[in-house]
Amino acid sequence: METGQIRREEDGTSAVSWTTESLRDWIFARPQELDGFRVCAEDDLGAHVQRGTSLLAYLHNAGINQQGWPESSGGSGGSAVDRAVLYDELTRAGLVLPEPVAALEVLGPALVRFAPQLASRHLPRLLSGEEIWCQGFSEPEAGSDLASVRTTATRRGDSWVLQGQKVWTSFGHLAHWCAVLARTGSRESRHRGLTLFWVDLSSPGVTVRPLQALTGDADFSEVFLDDVAVASDHIIGDIGGGWSVAMYLLQYERGMWAWQRQAILHQMLQIRVLGRELSAAQLAELGNAYALLASLRLKCAATIDRLAREEPLGPEVSVDKILLSQTERAVHDLCRSVDQAGFLLSDGADAHHLRSDWFYSRAASVYGGAVEVQKNILATRILGLPREAAS
Ligand SMILES: Cc1cc2nc3c(=O)[nH]c(=O)nc-3n(C[C@H](O)[C@H](O)[C@H](O)COP(=O)(O)OP(=O)(O)OC[C@H]3O[C@@H](n4cnc5c(N)ncnc54)[C@H](O)[C@@H]3O)c2cc1C
């Protein structure tokens, strides 16, 4: 087995239409058809997202990206391992990893498990490039401390009415649906009084405002919910069960997201670094970046293997998140060092991407649970160290 290759087991119950080898052959047999889906330095954010949704439509038409999802949700069977193989092979071939698969991997497994009626309707639409989803958890006063969520949901007849504000909602302004964590219990109920709602962003009362990051790109938004009605069958999990759904989904956010990123980071080294003339210092940086990437890949492969077996991951998945943030920095620092003049001086589209990707690498220590919080989790729950005394 190739180093870091994830184990793919067929359970005999699901019809799997491709193997890693046949998928690779399928991709390489279509250089012209897939040419329009290659990573393109000229793309702005909108064009990049569009390229990804078009690739999703192409894959779905060919019956490729249904694999890895249950038949009851519009898939063709298989497991998280199949999805991981697909992401790996797309990036290996120089194609874009479609932007919507990030939210798909965070929210899709939770929809399948906790709201199968929503999964069967929406999963095929995302897989075919028709829908984009987003995650509405964070609020101005609730990020690391999600139990402080203030957005409320109040029952009114057969539906619920949502009131509040979300922030840092990735791709919120491009999305059609948002998983909104809202308070259905009292303020004091903390994590026990939360419920997860599936909200149509075209509903009356929703206002989405893009937020421009330091890079100049607007890849996240604020979402305002002003008396937004949501039907009772658009709840993911139980009323008051939002915290367990959020914890289930965070396993995928930390494990599968990190796998997607390692695939993109390998692609980035391929495009920006390999084949260039490197100084001795840069060669040392490259060695360090590869060592981190290899560790991240091996750790994530083991995590995905466990996700595919439906084993609860527990606190050790925080290691994936910490490794990811170190690897992001190492790879992007090297890319920057290889093209320092472009990074500092060029106005071209490629230099814009180089800068934008470098800034985004710093965000890895914040999104999906800040690194400091992950270190606390490992210290207390894995190493058994005492908690810091409250001041
Ligand atoms: C690029 C990006 C994309 C994002 N996308 C989404 C999205 O799609 N949906 C969504 O809901 N949210 C999203 N977020 C928000 C993200 O989840 C939060 O930023 C994160 O949870 C931290 O919350 P905060 O920003 O409120 O920081 P705070 O919670 O205020 O924390 C600030 C810092 O304080 C420290 N800290 C806080 N608590 C502790 C603690 N208990 N122990 C030790 N140190 C601590 C950490 O260093 C932390 O970085 C995104 C963020 C980024 C950067």
Side-chain angles (χ1 to χ4, degrees):
M1 187 183 286
E2 196 181 316
T3 312
Q5 189 174 327
I6 52 178
R7 194 144 37 98
R8 198 168 167 287
E9 283 185 2
E10 290 166 32
D11 59 13
T13 56
S14 38
V16 170
S17 60
W18 46 257
T19 61
T20 307
E21 292 69 30
S22 70
L23 174 65
R24 197 172 291 172
D25 291 346
W26 183 87
I27 292 173
F28 279 96
R30 287 165 178 74
Q32 265 138 32
E33 293 94 319
L34 294 172
D35 200 41
F37 307 126
R38 283 180 207 294
V39 173
C40 175
E42 300 305 316
D43 278 355
D44 61 14
L45 192 66
H48 171 71
V49 171
Q50 178 62 51
R51 199 178 292 280
T53 50
S54 306
L55 174 56
L56 283 174
Y58 185 85
L59 294 170
H60 194 259
N61 234 351
I64 298 287
N65 65 352
Q66 289 89 332
Q67 191 163 313
W69 297 100
E71 288 171 30
S72 56
S73 304
S76 59
S79 73
V81 170
D82 297 285
R83 281 142 43 203
V85 168
L86 176 61
Y87 305 143
D88 221 28
E89 293 303 323
L90 293 178
T91 51
R92 193 190 284 256
L95 304 176
V96 291
L97 189 61
E99 212 50 73
V101 302
L104 169 69
E105 285 300 339
V106 175
L107 303 172
L111 283 179
V112 168
R113 179 165 179 156
F114 296 99
Q117 78 286 3
L118 295 174
S120 63
R121 199 176 320 143
H122 293 282
L123 216 116
R125 291 188 197 158
L126 189 142
L127 289 175
S128 58
E130 293 162 75
E131 271 184 9
I132 295 178
W133 305 342
C134 63
Q135 180 189 12
F137 282 20
S138 304
E139 297 184 2
E141 300 298 327
S144 303
D145 180 17
L146 262 189
S148 297
V149 158
R150 290 182 187 183
T151 294
T152 56
T154 317
R155 201 192 284 270
R156 192 183 290 165
D158 251 2
S159 54
W160 291 79
V161 177
L162 270 60
Q163 183 74 39
Q165 182 197 345
K166 297 291 169 180
V167 74
W168 312 130
T169 315
S170 294
F171 297 95
H173 56 300
L174 299 177
H176 305 91
W177 291 86
C178 182
V180 173
L181 196 61
R183 183 159 297 289
T184 43
S186 65
R187 186 93 175 257
E188 298 68 43
S189 60
R190 299 273 297 164
H191 62 276
R192 288 183 306 281
L194 296 172
T195 303
L196 193 59
F197 292 86
W198 187 241
V199 178
D200 180 351
L201 290 179
S202 65
S203 307
V206 175
T207 308
V208 183
R209 283 199 207 133
L211 286 172
Q212 199 177 50
L214 202 60
T215 57
D217 292 326
D219 46 15
F220 35 48
S221 314
E222 296 176 286
V223 178
F224 297 88
L225 302 152
D226 191 10
D227 274 343
V228 176
V230 180
S232 301
D233 60 1
H234 279 51
I235 290 178
I236 306 170
D238 296 327
I239 298 164
W243 187 259
S244 359
V245 183
M247 292 304 111
Y248 177 81
L249 155 171
L250 273 175
Q251 305 182 99
Y252 287 85
E253 182 161 4
R254 291 184 187 144
M256 188 60 108
W257 166 261
W259 176 266
Q260 291 181 346
R261 289 301 305 172
Q262 68 78 30
I264 290 174
L265 293 174
H266 272 105
Q267 187 183 59
M268 206 159 268
L269 284 181
Q270 190 75 39
I271 294 171
R272 293 203 175 274
V273 179
L274 300 185
R276 304 277 188 106
E277 206 168 305
L278 301 180
S279 67
Q282 287 169 333
L283 280 171
E285 274 189 73
L286 177 61
N288 178 48
Y290 256 122
L292 280 165
L293 253 181
S295 319
L296 176 66
R297 186 175 168 85
L298 285 168
K299 178 70 180 75
C300 291
T303 299
I304 288 165
D305 208 31
R306 293 183 58 197
L307 286 173
R309 292 163 200 270
E310 304 262 327
E311 281 177 27
L313 294 183
E316 63 273 21
V317 72
S318 295
V319 172
D320 301 40
K321 182 66 217 298
I322 294 170
L323 257 177
L324 172 65
S325 79
Q326 292 172 340
T327 312
E328 289 272 0
R329 279 173 183 258
V331 169
H332 286 93
D333 283 351
L334 174 60
C335 293
R336 174 183 172 160
S337 137
V338 166
D339 190 7
Q340 185 74 351
F343 185 95
L344 293 174
L345 302 172
S346 171
D347 289 331
D350 185 56
H352 172 78
H353 284 297
L354 178 63
R355 283 190 291 272
S356 166
D357 290 342
W358 185 85
F359 279 117
Y360 193 76
S361 71
R362 272 46 197 171
S365 63
V366 178
Y367 60 63
V371 157
E372 291 76 10
V373 176
Q374 305 309 311
K375 287 182 177 169
N376 278 348
I377 292 173
L378 293 178
T380 53
R381 296 183 54 197
I382 302 275
L383 300 176
L385 298 174
R387 283 177 191 278
E388 209 174 349
S391 53

